[in-house]
Amino acid sequence: MARILVADDSETILLLLRTRLEMEGYEVITAADGAEASEELWGRGPGEGPDLMLLDAMMPRKSGLDVLREVRAAGNQIPVLIVSAHGEAIAAARDEASASGYLGKPIDFGELLGRVSELLGERR
C-alpha cells in the first residue's frame, strides 16, 4: 500500500483529502503545515517515509514550496504534487520545475486520483 503525506493548513481540506485517499486504499500521513510535513518526512525510519507528497503551496511556518525546495536540495526525488488556490504560487512552483505536478483548488478528486495513480506508477 502506497503511503502519501498530505499537508494543508485547512482542517477541512486535510480531512477531505485523507478520507478520499484512504477510500482508495492509500495510507495517509497528515500535517497541518509545512513544518509538520518536514518533521513527518525526515523523522521516519528507512522505508517508513511517504511514497508521494501532496503539499499546499501556502501554509504557515513553512510553505509547501519551502518543503519542496528542502526535499530537492537533499537529493530526494519523491513525487510531489503542489496544490494551491493561488495561481501565482503554482506559477512560482512551475518556474522552479522541481514539482512533479500541480493542482488548483477547489480540488477535482478525479484529477487528483489520476495524478496520484500516475505518479505512483499504478494501473487503476
Side-chain angles (χ1 to χ4, degrees):
M1 167 184 348
R3 188 176 297 126
I4 301 173
L5 172 58
V6 179
D8 199 296
D9 58 328
S10 165
E11 287 182 43
T12 302
I13 292 173
L14 207 53
L15 178 61
L16 287 170
L17 289 170
R18 172 182 218 132
T19 301
R20 189 65 176 106
L21 291 167
E22 286 179 344
M23 286 173 52
E24 294 297 319
Y26 297 110
E27 180 182 341
V28 180
I29 304 161
T30 59
D33 59 37
E36 274 188 34
S38 289
E39 290 168 12
E40 287 291 344
L41 177 65
W42 306 117
R44 293 178 172 266
E48 294 180 11
D51 300 300
L52 181 141
M53 296 175 69
L54 184 61
L55 304 174
D56 183 13
M58 301 174 87
M59 295 182 284
R61 296 198 307 156
K62 186 185 284 188
S63 75
L65 297 176
D66 289 337
V67 175
L68 173 60
R69 289 181 196 106
E70 177 183 295
V71 166
R72 296 300 185 244
N76 191 324
Q77 294 305 309
I78 183 173
V80 177
L81 283 173
I82 296 292
V83 181
S84 183
H86 305 282
E88 63 274 8
I90 289 178
R94 280 193 175 124
D95 288 345
E96 291 184 31
S98 61
S100 306
Y102 315 91
L103 294 171
K105 288 182 182 179
I107 295 170
D108 176 318
F109 283 99
E111 181 181 5
L112 168 69
L113 295 173
R115 296 301 308 274
V116 165
S117 182
E118 173 189 325
L119 290 170
L120 292 172
E122 300 172 337
R123 293 192 180 175
R124 290 191 168 229

